[in-house]
Amino acid sequence: MSAENQNQGDLKIKQESLGGGQAPASTRATGLGKSDKLAALATSDNTSALQAVILEKKLKYQEKLEEAEPKTEVKHARLGGDKALSFRRRFTNNVIAASMWLCGLLVLVILGSIGYELIRRGIGIISPYFLSVSMKGVYGGMEAGGIYHAMVGTLLITLVAAIISVPLGLLVAIYLTEYAGNTKFAKLTTTLVDVMTGIPSIVAGLFAAALFTMVIGPAYRSGLMGAVALSVLMIPLVVRSSAEMLRLVPNELREASYALGVPKWRTVISVVLRTSAAGLVTSVVVAIARIVGETAPLLITAGMFDAINNNVFSGRMETLPVYIYQQYTSTVSCAAHAVNCNPTINVDRAWGAALVLVFAVLVLNLGARFVAKKLSIGK
């Protein structure tokens, strides 16, 4: 008991020595609160007088640190900020928005001018006769002949190219997204597909010509050769776009199918392909629209022909792009007293064929949108 009373006495003496002098009225209440806490700690069994003094020193040190911290006034930001900053932001936003509108209007003006020029210069020659006859027996500036043979050639060559490219491109896309994973072979395949996407079209024509020259002979020309050249350009487009569509299918659908015990191949057919059918159709049609206007590879492979040829495996076959090139680059000179001679007939035929080709591409795109809308889930 005597030792405990002595400790309490030492604590009181220490508090009086530390709290000596007149403290301001604002801090007196705080000091009394701390003294009460220290006294309560000192009277406990587990706290000695020395620990209480150390605690008091620590509290005073923390109080000094709090007083030394700069007091900053919190200002609530107004909506819009300062007037100068708000004006600058509004000005920048208006400039960017105006630039976007101008770019959009510029694109519309370019497209409108192309469409206007096509219609103005090509509509005059469009007629049932022009669409139903070929150029067989037409020469010079005769106001005769049409594009029927070129339309047939374009349809057959594009159809054969699609038959070659679509299954192969879809299978490669399914392999890359569903089976290959992150293997080295998958990375190599993706790199090669990217490289093939950017090759010039004339290189595809040279490849097809070299291939058929080695297999059949140097004199062979046919629509099949042109279709192979176009398929070289079409396959990478189908692979890249179809792979992106397949990656958009949620993995939860695959996992739910696997949880029901459905094998992987059936999951790919019934779930993955069904879910991405709309995007796959769009990808295929965009690829077809990309190759239907190619000219350079077909000049080397299918060549020029002014008559109707329905056999893609034998004989030259002309397409609409090649027909446009042939007619536009041909020159016509009429004699002074020539009858049935139009010096601009070749250019008119070229503009008419161009209008038909653009209309065909437009119909393809609109048809793809319609089919994609019908195949979309939930529509």
Side-chain angles (χ1 to χ4, degrees):
M1 294 296 294
S2 60
E4 183 178 352
N5 294 333
Q6 186 176 358
N7 289 337
Q8 293 180 359
D10 294 339
L11 177 61
K12 291 180 179 179
I13 294 171
K14 192 67 176 177
Q15 290 175 353
E16 292 175 356
S17 62
L18 292 173
Q22 297 294 330
S26 60
T27 60
R28 192 173 298 166
T30 305
L32 290 175
K34 293 178 181 178
S35 299
D36 294 339
K37 293 178 181 179
L38 292 173
L41 290 171
T43 55
S44 63
D45 297 336
N46 297 328
T47 307
S48 63
L50 182 60
Q51 291 175 343
V53 173
I54 293 174
L55 181 60
E56 183 183 14
K57 291 287 187 180
K58 185 176 180 180
L59 292 174
K60 285 187 176 182
Y61 179 72
Q62 291 179 352
E63 183 179 356
K64 289 181 180 180
L65 289 178
E66 292 176 358
E67 292 176 355
E69 291 180 357
K71 296 181 179 180
T72 58
E73 184 180 358
V74 179
K75 295 182 178 180
H76 296 284
R78 296 174 298 171
L79 185 61
D82 296 334
K83 291 183 178 180
L85 185 59
S86 178
F87 172 76
R88 187 178 64 186
R89 287 177 176 175
R90 289 198 302 269
F91 178 77
T92 304
N93 181 70
N94 292 335
V95 170
I96 298 299
S99 301
M100 297 300 102
W101 277 100
L102 288 176
C103 291
L105 290 176
L106 179 61
V107 172
L108 290 178
V109 168
I110 294 174
L111 292 177
S113 62
I114 294 174
Y116 171 76
E117 194 69 14
L118 280 172
I119 296 173
R120 185 181 69 86
R121 304 190 65 172
I123 196 66
I125 199 172
I126 300 296
S127 65
Y129 172 80
F130 182 72
L131 299 175
S132 59
V133 299
S134 66
M135 291 293 294
K136 187 175 182 180
V138 179
Y139 57 91
M142 294 175 57
E143 292 186 349
I147 60 172
Y148 179 74
H149 65 296
M151 293 170 59
V152 172
T154 302
L155 179 62
L156 293 177
I157 291 177
T158 305
L159 180 62
V160 174
I163 292 174
I164 297 173
S165 304
V166 173
L168 187 58
L170 287 178
L171 289 175
V172 174
I174 292 172
Y175 168 75
L176 292 176
T177 56
E178 303 296 328
Y179 292 94
N182 199 25
T183 59
K184 292 183 178 180
F185 183 73
K187 294 180 180 179
L188 177 62
T189 304
T190 304
T191 303
L192 293 177
V193 169
D194 293 337
V195 172
M196 289 180 62
T197 305
I199 64 172
S201 59
I202 190 68
V203 176
L206 292 173
F207 166 77
L211 177 64
F212 279 87
T213 298
M214 290 188 298
V215 175
I216 300 177
Y220 181 76
R221 294 290 183 273
S222 68
L224 179 62
M225 186 185 296
V228 171
L230 294 183
S231 65
V232 174
L233 300 174
M234 187 176 175
I235 288 174
L237 298 177
V238 176
V239 172
R240 293 296 294 169
S241 56
S242 300
E244 294 299 327
M245 293 298 106
L246 295 175
R247 290 190 181 99
L248 293 178
V249 178
N251 287 327
E252 289 78 6
L253 296 178
R254 298 180 176 89
E255 294 171 357
S257 179
Y258 298 150
L260 295 174
V262 180
K264 189 177 183 65
W265 67 269
R266 192 173 182 83
T267 299
V268 172
I269 295 175
S270 302
V271 178
V272 178
L273 294 181
R274 176 65 185 88
T275 306
S276 59
L280 295 177
V281 171
T282 304
S283 303
V284 171
V285 174
V286 169
I288 292 175
R290 162 68 176 80
I291 66 167
V292 76
E294 289 293 339
T295 306
L298 297 178
L299 284 172
I300 300 175
T301 55
M304 301 178 183
F305 194 57
D306 58 1
I308 300 172
N309 181 13
N310 297 322
N311 187 2
V312 295
F313 300 100
S314 177
R316 295 176 180 267
M317 183 177 290
E318 194 166 57
T319 61
L320 281 174
V322 176
Y323 176 88
I324 295 170
Y325 170 79
Q326 180 187 16
Q327 293 295 318
Y328 199 82
T329 55
S330 301
T331 58
V332 176
S333 58
C334 297
H337 302 287
V339 180
N340 191 19
C341 183
N342 186 354
T344 63
I345 187 62
N346 288 347
V347 177
D348 296 338
R349 292 196 196 104
W351 280 105
L355 180 60
V356 172
L357 181 61
V358 171
F359 181 76
V361 174
L362 179 62
V363 170
L364 278 175
N365 283 276
L366 293 178
R369 289 176 179 271
F370 177 77
V371 174
K373 185 177 180 180
K374 291 297 182 182
L375 293 177
S376 298
I377 296 178
K379 296 296 183 181

